[in-house]
């Protein structure tokens, strides 16, 4: 969680009051008794790419090294882990970096929850991204937890805000208007068909644009379940997760509440903030399986001959291949999308060329 997921007005404690999903979700996830304040953290309820395998942190470390090369190996290289949870990714990246790069790396974990005990002392724990970042800002499953309101078409074809109580019951509220209506018209237009739903992604656009603005030069990456204008889900994606299982979203603090991200809208939000004189480099979107393949996570099985010559190495390689397969699997973590947003002299597409890295040669 980050300031963008923690800056809303708190919800009433009673289950009897109605409010929009954005306000209800904020209190349920990030309030004093919220889901993300629990001691077990996200890993206690669902399996992210970070928790699935250290190969993921290794791939992010490899991407950071490529950004470092693209920036000409600056004296100080920044790595920012957005919505850092308990610091698993940033710690893994530091451990995977070559010694010469690690010596120049300044690592940040951006998270509203308290700093966990035992975290690498090199990690600076912040409530919001630092300014003047030169390097890589990585947001793994952050934007899907930036709370959003939900819209639904009523029987008369009017798009209305969905209101919810603390027990999960819903009803329709006022018509969607203003900037939110404008966002829907551009990014998720709803037909006049009763029951059609959308998540209003404007808060995520604003959160992403603010995060990218922290970069002076480098790359920002958002990795999330996502969709684009060509394939918006007809009834939205709002859902809950509790103890590893998908469940009905109930904003009472007992479960995670999440919705897929309109990544195309987020990419455009950064561009819209730029001055006319500055044409930012093009953003790039790729499925996670493709991005990780380009960063050396392939899932290829080791040669069977290795089992005879070095059985221990064969078993290690087999375990690594299994983990890589999970990270890149269709129907699972491989279906995540990565949004790569470059700032300054960085070519996002060149960073995902599937070649051996300098430190591996």
């Amino acid at each position: 969680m980050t300031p963008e997921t923690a800056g809303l007005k708190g919800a009433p404690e009673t289950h009897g009051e109605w409010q929009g999903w954005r306000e209800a979700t904020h209190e349920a996830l990030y309030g004093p008794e919220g889901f993300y304040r629990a001691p077990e953290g996200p890993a206690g309820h669902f399996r992210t790419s970070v928790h699935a395998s250290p190969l993921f942190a290794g791939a992010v470390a490899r991407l950071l090294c490529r950004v470092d090369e693209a920036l000409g190996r600056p004296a100080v290289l920044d790595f920012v882990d957005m919505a850092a949870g308990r610091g698993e990714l940033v710690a893994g990246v530091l451990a995977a970096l070559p010694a010469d790069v690690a010596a120049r790396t300044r690592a940040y974990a951006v998270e509203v929850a308290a700093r966990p005990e035992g975290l690498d002392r090199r990690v600076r724990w912040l409530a919001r991204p630092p300014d003047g970042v030169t390097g890589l800002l990585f947001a793994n499953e952050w934007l899907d937890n930036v709370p959003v309101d939900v819209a639904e078409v009523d029987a008369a074809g009017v798009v209305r805000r969905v209101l919810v109580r603390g027990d999960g019951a819903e009803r329709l509220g006022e018509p969607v208007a203003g900037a939110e209506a404008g966002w829907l018209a551009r990014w998720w237009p709803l037909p006049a068909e009763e029951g059609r739903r959308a998540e209003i992604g404007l808060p995520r656009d604003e959160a992403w644009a603010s995060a990218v603005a922290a970069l002076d030069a480098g790359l920002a990456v958002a990795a999330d379940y996502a969709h684009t204008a060509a394939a918006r889900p007809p009834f939205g994606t709002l859902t809950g997760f509790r103890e590893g299982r998908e469940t009905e979203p109930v904003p009472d603090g007992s479960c995670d509440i999440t919705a897929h991200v309109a990544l195309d809208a987020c990419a455009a939000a950064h561009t819209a903030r730029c001055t006319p004189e500055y044409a930012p480099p093009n953003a790039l979107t790729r499925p996670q399986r493709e991005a990780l393949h380009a960063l050396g996570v392939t899932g290829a099985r080791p040669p069977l001959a290795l089992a005879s010559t070095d059985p221990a190495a064969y078993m290690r390689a087999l375990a690594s291949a299994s983990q890589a397969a999970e990270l890149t699997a269709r129907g699972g973590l491989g279906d995540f999308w990565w949004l790569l947003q470059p700032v300054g002299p960085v070519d996002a597409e060149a960073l995902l060329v599937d070649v051996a890295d300098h430190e591996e040669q």
Side-chain angles (χ1 to χ4, degrees), residues 67-150:
V67 171
D68 182 41
E69 292 282 353
L71 295 174
R73 294 178 170 260
V76 176
L77 178 69
D78 295 316
F79 176 69
V80 181
D81 180 9
M82 293 293 295
R86 299 302 181 266
E88 298 95 335
L89 178 60
V90 65
V93 168
L94 283 174
L97 287 174
D100 64 313
V101 179
R104 292 183 289 110
T105 297
R106 189 167 49 187
Y108 299 94
V110 181
E111 175 62 56
V112 172
R115 181 189 181 101
E117 294 183 5
L119 183 65
D120 192 314
R121 289 181 295 177
R122 292 173 293 174
V123 177
R124 305 182 187 194
W125 196 265
L126 304 176
R128 61 181 63 253
D131 294 326
V133 171
T134 298
L136 175 63
L137 180 147
F138 202 93
N140 186 62
E141 295 196 53
W142 169 47
L143 290 173
D144 69 315
N145 283 132
V146 173
V148 292
D149 274 316
V150 178

Side-chain angles (χ1 to χ4, degrees), residues 48-50 52 56 138 140-141 222-225 285-295 297 324 326-329 332-338 352:
T48 71
S49 298
V50 177
F56 188 80
F138 202 93
N140 186 62
E141 295 196 53
D224 248 309
Y225 280 121
T285 55
R286 288 288 185 274
Q288 174 158 297
R289 71 181 65 87
E290 293 183 12
L292 290 182
H293 286 165
L295 292 168
V297 180
E326 180 181 2
L327 289 171
T328 58
L333 295 173
D335 287 345
F336 272 67
W337 280 85
W338 284 27
L352 293 185

